[in-house]
Amino acid sequence: MSGGMKVGAVIITMGNRPDELRALLDSVAKQDGDPVEVVVVGNGSPVPEVPEGVRTVELPENLGIPGGRNVGIEAFGPGGRDVDILLFLDDDGLLAGHDTAELCRQAFAADPALGIISFRIADPDTGVTQRRHVPRLRASDPMRSSRVTTFLGGANAVRTKVFAEVGGLPDEFFYAHEETDLAWRALDAGWMIDYRSDMVLYHPTTAPSRHAVYHRMVARNRVWLARRNLPALLVPVYLGAWMLLTLLRRPSRPALKAWFGGFREGWATPCGPRRPMRWRTVWRLTRLGRPPVI
């Protein structure tokens, strides 16, 4: 059923979690079916010792999450064309089952329109999936698989034809919202995205705000995301809705100051090429449960 689809995996690391990285690589090596070819990208740091057969790329500087993953994609040929599917996995994650790669092969082979699969992230100790890790508005039941409009950056699989058609992740984002930028471009090109609760990546429960640049990057990249991808009429609606949501969440004064600084930066700095999605894509996102105004 999987049609012999070749699977690769891209893992970026800062070199500071060697034990977790080794456990992840072991879980990839145990996948059913043909072996998964792995590339580990040291994002501005040396790569810890890895098993034989795992390729490594060491970058002289930290290019950010999208930049590092794009380097990993190109390690499989232009646009990743040497394989049919690429897994993107956080270096402190762990594939819960041996069948994840084969389930991906089967899903992509069965549905030619399927471009991206978002895995379920679960805490390794409790099995709990955080609400923010379910990429849809109706997130109360993480065990329900569905079509979605975005995906989780460190726990997903992408058909490499998507990169060939719409390009890679936006390097300039560095951190935050790069997945949604790719997702919107893929959806505008006619691809679909699935959230699959049966494809699980174990990952310790963390808060995104642990990153020092979180509030600034989230705000700046939200503006860039809208400027790059939305029809002009929807840009102020989308950004106004997110500003209201941010205020309702009552962040601390320093966090709010960083957020508004990032928001201003998003308007004052280049965001990359603007390719607004078609209105039929807006309607498609709406039918999928998440209109691009929130």
Side-chain angles (χ1 to χ4, degrees):
M1 183 178 177
S2 60
M5 301 184 84
K6 295 177 63 176
V7 180
V10 173
I11 301 165
I12 59 173
T13 183
M14 299 292 291
N16 56 351
R17 294 189 282 237
D19 294 339
E20 292 90 338
L21 174 62
R22 185 58 183 254
L24 171 62
L25 292 171
D26 289 345
S27 75
V28 174
K30 293 176 182 176
Q31 292 299 297
D32 299 336
D34 293 336
V36 177
E37 184 179 348
V38 181
V39 169
V40 177
V41 178
N43 213 355
S45 66
V47 175
E49 184 178 353
V50 297
E52 185 177 355
V54 173
R55 289 191 288 154
T56 63
V57 179
E58 294 186 352
L59 303 177
E61 61 178 310
N62 184 354
L63 299 183
I65 294 173
R69 287 185 177 142
N70 283 337
V71 169
I73 294 168
E74 295 302 306
F76 290 93
R81 68 184 182 190
D82 293 345
V83 293
D84 303 294
I85 303 163
L86 276 177
L87 311 180
F88 294 87
L89 307 170
D90 277 351
D91 69 341
D92 56 345
L94 183 75
L95 289 174
H98 295 180
D99 60 350
T100 303
E102 186 59 25
L103 287 172
C104 288
R105 292 185 185 99
Q106 293 173 6
F108 285 119
D111 185 354
L114 180 61
I116 302 171
I117 298 172
S118 189
F119 302 164
R120 181 168 64 89
I121 293 179
D123 184 272
D125 297 321
T126 66
V128 172
T129 296
Q130 292 180 276
R131 186 180 182 91
R132 69 184 181 88
H133 284 152
V134 183
R136 58 178 179 244
L137 291 179
R138 296 180 178 178
S140 59
D141 182 8
M143 301 307 295
R144 178 173 67 87
S145 299
S146 68
R147 295 284 201 200
V148 290
T149 61
T150 189
F151 63 99
L152 306 173
N156 67 81
V158 181
R159 191 192 297 265
T160 53
K161 287 182 180 178
V162 173
F163 298 128
E165 187 168 349
V166 307
L169 296 155
D171 286 343
E172 56 268 45
F173 278 41
F174 197 84
Y175 163 78
H177 303 320
E178 67 272 4
E179 303 93 350
T180 300
D181 187 88
L182 176 61
W184 282 1
R185 285 182 281 127
L187 288 162
D188 196 48
W191 296 101
M192 300 301 292
I193 306 171
D194 279 356
Y195 166 73
R196 288 282 298 265
S197 64
D198 57 334
M199 302 182 189
V200 180
L201 183 85
Y202 285 143
H203 189 281
T205 298
T206 56
S209 55
R210 69 190 186 280
H211 299 291
V213 297
Y214 172 77
H215 296 286
R216 180 176 69 86
M217 291 291 196
V218 162
R220 184 198 68 180
N221 292 0
R222 185 80 70 185
V223 176
W224 281 358
L225 181 68
R227 289 175 59 197
R228 286 164 60 97
N229 295 287
L230 291 181
L233 287 175
L234 293 185
V235 172
V237 180
Y238 177 81
L239 295 177
W242 276 104
M243 181 179 289
L244 178 60
L245 282 171
T246 299
L247 294 173
L248 289 174
R249 290 168 177 167
R250 302 181 69 179
S252 67
R253 185 179 295 272
L256 195 60
K257 181 179 179 181
W259 192 92
F260 274 106
F263 192 83
R264 288 191 296 271
E265 184 182 349
W267 285 107
T269 54
C271 64
R274 173 167 165 76
R275 299 187 182 95
M277 65 177 66
R278 294 166 291 184
W279 282 102
R280 70 181 185 185
T281 304
V282 173
W283 175 238
R284 190 183 195 191
L285 288 163
T286 303
R287 286 190 291 111
L288 288 169
R290 189 155 196 163
V293 294
I294 190 170

